[in-house]
Amino acid sequence: MRNSYFFKIYIVFSIIYLIILLSGLEHFDLFLKPILIPIMGFGAYFYRKFPTQNTLLAGLTFSWIGDVILLFTDLGEIYFIFGLVSFLIAHIIYCILFNKQNKIRKKQNKTIFIIGSILIALYLIGMVSILMPHLGNLEIPVSVYASIISIMLLFAFNGLLVWEKPGNFLIFLGALFFVISDSILAVNKFYAPIPKSSFFIMLTYLLAQYLIVVGVLRLNPKKIKE
């Protein structure tokens, strides 16, 4: 399967990148970070045509744009804002992507869905409450971003209850790692420094993207032999 080579390359390069971050050599970001998501994108592109392929690729594209922009946050706060907007768009696209996936059950378990929704809402309220006193002029952008990523997680949780296995679990886990990654970034930037924050942010982020992509491909299996 030709697309599997891209995923293997993504895993190898991600491990190398994480080792670099763990070693404190974060200035190598400029050389390695921008190529990771495109490698994943090629894996999705060469999978085969499926109904939401372009939506998935669009989400990866805006994630990649956000990655590149955030490399320059040391040059000014405006780069952080532009990166935030890019990832905001990516999360909206992922919401659309999740909503379009085939469902094997027409209705989810309402009790479980309500419990999950409450937990996600509590996360959103808690995170915004903790960060709000420290956000300054970024109160509205960060609050909107936190709301959108929470909605993205809610779409993934709904999918966990109605999509086919194992794609449902992979996507939900990917969305959860995305929330964890952004939460670490937000706490580190606005609330209190976290040791080795870059490593943990990228570890959860790279896992998130991989699981979401592989999960979507599992929900759209190939119908012909390679």
Side-chain angles (χ1 to χ4, degrees):
M1 187 165 67
R2 54 185 173 178
N3 65 306
S4 67
Y5 292 111
F6 289 106
F7 294 135
K8 291 174 182 176
I9 294 171
Y10 174 84
I11 291 172
V12 171
F13 275 41
S14 293
I15 291 173
I16 294 173
Y17 177 62
L18 291 171
I19 291 173
I20 289 173
L21 291 181
L22 199 58
S23 303
L25 304 174
E26 297 181 12
H27 54 280
F28 281 101
D29 268 13
L30 190 62
F31 304 101
L32 192 52
K33 186 179 180 182
I35 70 172
L36 296 175
I37 296 303
I39 292 172
M40 177 70 69
F42 282 122
Y45 177 79
F46 286 112
Y47 179 68
R48 73 168 176 86
K49 294 294 182 182
F50 57 94
T52 56
Q53 184 181 48
N54 289 337
T55 309
L56 173 59
L57 293 174
L60 290 173
T61 299
F62 277 98
S63 295
W64 173 75
I65 293 172
D67 282 341
V68 173
I69 293 175
L70 290 179
L71 289 173
F72 302 98
T73 51
D74 290 342
L75 300 179
E77 195 72 19
I78 190 65
Y79 290 97
F80 177 77
I81 295 174
F82 284 151
L84 198 72
V85 170
S86 184
F87 274 109
L88 179 70
I89 295 172
H91 290 312
I92 292 173
I93 293 172
Y94 280 146
C95 288
I96 297 170
L97 174 69
F98 298 163
N99 189 55
K100 289 183 175 181
Q101 298 307 307
N102 293 325
K103 303 174 179 64
I104 61 172
R105 290 177 290 277
K106 293 183 179 180
K107 295 182 179 180
Q108 75 282 78
N109 185 306
K110 288 186 177 180
T111 301
I112 296 178
F113 181 75
I114 291 173
I115 293 173
S117 300
I118 292 173
L119 291 175
I120 293 172
L122 289 175
Y123 153 78
L124 174 60
I125 294 170
M127 181 59 66
V128 173
S129 299
I130 291 172
L131 297 179
M132 191 62 71
H134 309 277
L135 295 177
N137 295 330
L138 294 176
E139 284 185 2
I140 294 178
V142 172
S143 297
V144 170
Y145 185 88
S147 299
I148 293 299
I149 195 171
S150 298
I151 293 172
M152 186 271 291
L153 180 59
L154 183 61
F155 270 92
F157 179 68
N158 179 67
L160 179 66
L161 303 177
V162 299
W163 294 331
E164 188 174 2
K165 297 178 181 180
N168 63 339
F169 180 73
L170 294 174
I171 293 175
F172 173 71
L173 194 59
L176 185 60
F177 274 125
F178 225 135
V179 171
I180 293 172
S181 178
D182 283 347
S183 298
I184 296 172
L185 187 154
V187 170
N188 181 72
K189 181 175 179 63
F190 298 111
Y191 186 73
I194 298 176
K196 299 293 182 181
S197 59
S198 295
F199 170 78
F200 291 111
I201 290 168
M202 291 307 300
L203 171 64
T204 48
Y205 170 71
L206 294 172
L207 277 171
Q209 294 284 24
Y210 178 81
L211 290 169
I212 288 173
V213 171
V214 173
V216 170
L217 298 187
R218 289 292 186 91
L219 294 180
N220 296 271
K222 295 193 174 190
K223 298 179 180 179
I224 57 174
K225 294 183 179 180
E226 293 292 325

